[in-house]
Amino acid sequence: AIKAGHYTDTNPARDVDNLKPKKAGGFHHITMEELEQYEGHFPVGTMARKASDLILYGGGGRCSDAYRLGPQHIQRAGGLRYTQHKARTKRRMVVDIPILAPLQSSLDATPGGDLGFIISETGRPFASSASFGNKVKKWLVEAGLSHCSAHGFRKASACKLAEMGYSDIQIMAHNGWISLRQVQDYTREMRRKLIAKDAANEWAERQKSNESVPLSEGGAESGTIKVKKA
C-alpha cells in the first residue's frame, strides 16, 4: 500500500489476530534420547541409519536435499557440497562442509547408488522427497518413534552438533541456516544441559581437589620458643 501511494493514518493490520499454527512449535524435535533409541534399533550399516546420519551430519538437510545427495556431491578435497533445494530460485544457499566421521562411517559401511547415497529396496534412488520422507517415517515407526518425522532429524542435527562442541554460529554455517535465532531455538535446551553438565563436573573436580589436600601433622612444632622452667 505504501509503495502504491495509499497512505493512511492507521495500520489496519495491527488489529488482526495472529493465525494459530496447526502444530505448535512445528515438527516434533527428535530428542537425544529418541535419537539413541533409533540408532540402537538401526546400527551403522543399515540404510535407515545412513539416512539419519546423512541428515544429522550432512548439513541438516531436508528430505528434498537428502534423497538427492550422492557421490557426485563429494568434492576432491573430501568435503560435501550442494545447493539447498528449498528456495533455490529466490535465495541460493550452498552447503559446503567437511564430511564428519559419523557420516563417513555410514557411507563406507552402507552401499548406495551411483547417483544417490540413499536407495530403496529396488536398488534405485527414491523418486521424490515425499517417498523418501514416507520411508523414514516407516523406519521411525519400526523403532518405536511413531510420533517423530524425518524433519525432526533436521532439528536434532543442531542439538547433535552443539553436543559435539559447535557454537551456534558454526551450526548456522554448517547447516545453511540464515537465522541465528532459529538455531538458538533448537539448541537452547541442549545448551542448558551442557552448562549443567560442565557445572557438575567442575563441582566434582573441586570436591576431589579438596579431599586430596593433606592434613597438617598434629605433632609438628609451631616454631614458638618455649622457656624451660628451672
Side-chain angles (χ1 to χ4, degrees):
I2 294 175
K3 289 181 179 179
H6 302 301
Y7 299 101
T8 60
D9 296 332
T10 60
N11 180 3
R14 186 175 302 162
D15 299 326
V16 177
D17 293 335
N18 292 329
L19 295 175
K20 294 182 179 180
K22 294 181 179 179
K23 294 183 179 180
F27 289 92
H28 171 69
H29 173 182
I30 294 178
T31 66
M32 295 300 98
E33 293 75 17
E34 291 169 341
L35 183 58
E36 289 179 2
Q37 181 176 332
Y38 182 88
E39 293 178 346
H41 192 83
F42 296 110
V44 173
T46 60
M47 195 60 65
R49 177 64 171 272
K50 188 180 184 181
S52 63
D53 285 344
L54 190 60
I55 299 174
L56 288 170
Y57 307 108
R62 302 173 180 87
C63 288
S64 57
D65 298 318
Y67 93 97
R68 286 185 168 90
L69 295 179
Q72 69 274 19
H73 295 102
I74 296 180
Q75 304 300 298
R76 291 183 179 180
L80 187 66
R81 179 183 173 87
Y82 62 92
T83 300
Q84 290 183 348
H85 187 72
K86 184 178 181 180
R88 62 198 178 281
T89 59
K90 298 180 180 179
R91 174 185 51 80
R92 188 170 182 267
M93 177 60 68
V94 176
V95 175
D96 192 350
I97 56 177
I99 298 179
L100 300 179
L103 176 56
Q104 188 64 62
S105 297
S106 279
L107 295 178
D108 293 341
T110 317
D114 294 335
L115 296 176
F117 291 133
I118 310 298
I119 55 178
S120 64
E121 290 86 349
T122 63
R124 298 179 180 179
F126 286 88
S128 66
S129 61
S131 61
F132 172 70
N134 290 336
K135 184 60 178 179
V136 175
K137 180 66 177 182
K138 290 181 180 179
W139 286 328
L140 287 164
V141 171
E142 186 178 335
L145 300 168
S146 59
H147 59 289
C148 299
S149 66
H151 197 76
F153 283 116
R154 174 171 165 79
K155 294 185 175 183
S157 174
C159 293
K160 193 63 179 178
L161 293 176
E163 188 179 44
M164 295 169 63
Y166 280 57
S167 68
D168 287 342
I169 290 291
Q170 290 172 326
I171 295 171
M172 185 175 70
H174 189 276
N175 286 8
W177 277 304
I178 61 173
S179 170
L180 180 60
R181 181 177 179 180
Q182 185 179 29
V183 176
Q184 291 171 336
D185 286 343
Y186 295 161
T187 63
R188 185 174 292 110
E189 183 177 349
M190 175 56 70
R191 295 294 181 199
R192 290 195 188 103
K193 290 182 179 179
L194 294 175
I195 292 172
K197 182 178 179 180
D198 289 342
N201 291 337
E202 183 178 349
W203 179 85
E205 286 297 324
R206 288 183 179 181
Q207 289 294 106
K208 184 178 179 181
S209 177
N210 291 339
E211 292 174 358
S212 64
V213 175
L215 298 175
S216 59
E217 298 180 1
E221 296 183 357
S222 64
T224 302
I225 299 175
K226 296 182 179 180
V227 179
K228 293 183 180 181
K229 295 182 179 180

